[in-house]
Amino acid sequence: MKNFITLLAATMLVLFLLIGYSTNVNSNLSQNIVRLHVLANSDSEDDQSLKLKVRDAILEQSRTDFTKKEDVKFQLDIYKDIAEKIVAENGYDYPVHVEYGNFSFPTKNYDRFSLPAGNYDAVRVKLGSAQGQNWWCVMFPPLCFVDGTTDAAYAESKLRSSISEESYDIISAQNNKSTPFTIKFKIVEFYGKISGRDKIYAKTQ
């Protein structure tokens, strides 16, 4: 019985430490990264094409919108106006809703790093019924520009300076194949998958 209690206590301590570690990493990433999330009206070819046009226009605007994360939430009305203009120019009258919040995302793999599943601050743009396939990326630091004009080295250095060294090592571990950090990534990823809960901080009218 004594051995069982000792084993149980040790297991609970390890679990507590893992939860604390995962919470700190998820919090660090969430507090310093903003993602853009665009949801199409439907999965039709036209609606998916419209989604990408809205995405491109908002990303182009966001190049000069802000220099720090806190600026993003103050641009929601601008992003809504841009989206509504693109929708109208393409012959649709879908309603557009734009909100800023903390949303649950699955794991996302990029060329040089991976973001574990978890909650991240994001600008979410919903077109029409928002029932179609969605698209997302890292909006700040500027890692998701699609036309190739954003300098990758600059974007990566901005990311490195925005998050803790531990967090950076974890999200880049998928590429450098560092076993200890790959294991940590899996732990953070698992925690993120089971702990997500959406929260909306601000939205357009």
Side-chain angles (χ1 to χ4, degrees):
M1 184 66 177
K2 183 178 180 180
N3 289 338
F4 173 76
I5 293 176
T6 300
L7 178 61
L8 179 61
T11 301
M12 293 299 293
L13 176 60
V14 170
L15 181 61
F16 177 78
L17 292 174
L18 290 178
I19 290 175
Y21 176 79
S22 298
T23 300
N24 287 336
V25 172
N26 270 290
S27 178
N28 180 255
L29 291 173
S30 177
Q31 291 174 6
N32 294 286
I33 287 175
V34 180
R35 303 176 80 162
L36 173 63
H37 190 200
V38 185
L39 294 84
N41 177 67
S42 75
D43 284 336
S44 73
E45 184 176 345
D46 288 343
D47 281 344
Q48 287 296 310
S49 176
L50 181 64
K51 173 193 71 176
L52 298 180
K53 291 177 181 178
V54 169
R55 171 201 69 181
D56 291 349
I58 289 178
L59 287 179
E60 181 60 35
Q61 176 67 28
S62 70
R63 290 179 187 275
T64 56
D65 265 354
F66 48 85
T67 57
K68 59 184 184 296
K69 176 188 168 182
E70 290 73 18
D71 295 334
V72 180
K73 66 182 67 176
F74 301 112
Q75 305 297 325
L76 299 187
D77 287 332
I78 294 175
Y79 297 153
K80 182 179 180 181
D81 289 343
I82 289 172
E84 288 178 334
K85 179 180 179 181
I86 297 297
V87 168
E89 288 177 348
N90 284 270
Y92 298 97
D93 59 356
Y94 297 147
V96 173
H97 299 281
V98 181
E99 55 196 16
Y100 182 89
N102 192 256
F103 305 109
S104 179
F105 288 90
T107 298
K108 175 69 172 179
N109 297 313
Y110 295 89
D111 289 339
R112 303 179 70 173
F113 64 94
S114 300
L115 288 181
N119 272 42
Y120 294 83
D121 281 8
V123 173
R124 185 161 67 179
V125 182
K126 298 190 288 188
L127 305 176
S129 62
Q131 296 300 307
Q133 295 182 50
N134 57 83
W135 181 93
W136 68 85
C137 73
V138 178
M139 188 179 196
F140 182 84
L143 297 169
C144 62
F145 295 110
V146 295
D147 61 6
T149 60
T150 297
D151 183 82
Y154 165 77
E156 189 169 355
S157 67
K158 191 71 175 177
L159 175 64
R160 184 186 286 271
S161 65
S162 299
I163 61 179
S164 70
E165 183 178 352
E166 177 78 3
S167 296
Y168 184 84
D169 287 340
I170 287 175
I171 67 175
S172 61
Q174 300 299 85
N175 302 302
N176 62 34
K177 304 302 180 183
S178 171
T179 300
F181 281 107
T182 298
I183 293 174
K184 291 179 179 181
F185 181 95
K186 294 298 183 182
I187 293 171
V188 173
E189 179 184 46
F190 176 76
Y191 176 78
K193 287 179 179 179
I194 64 175
S195 62
R197 181 177 299 177
D198 291 353
K199 297 178 183 178
I200 298 175
Y201 300 141
K203 56 184 177 181
T204 57
Q205 301 298 318

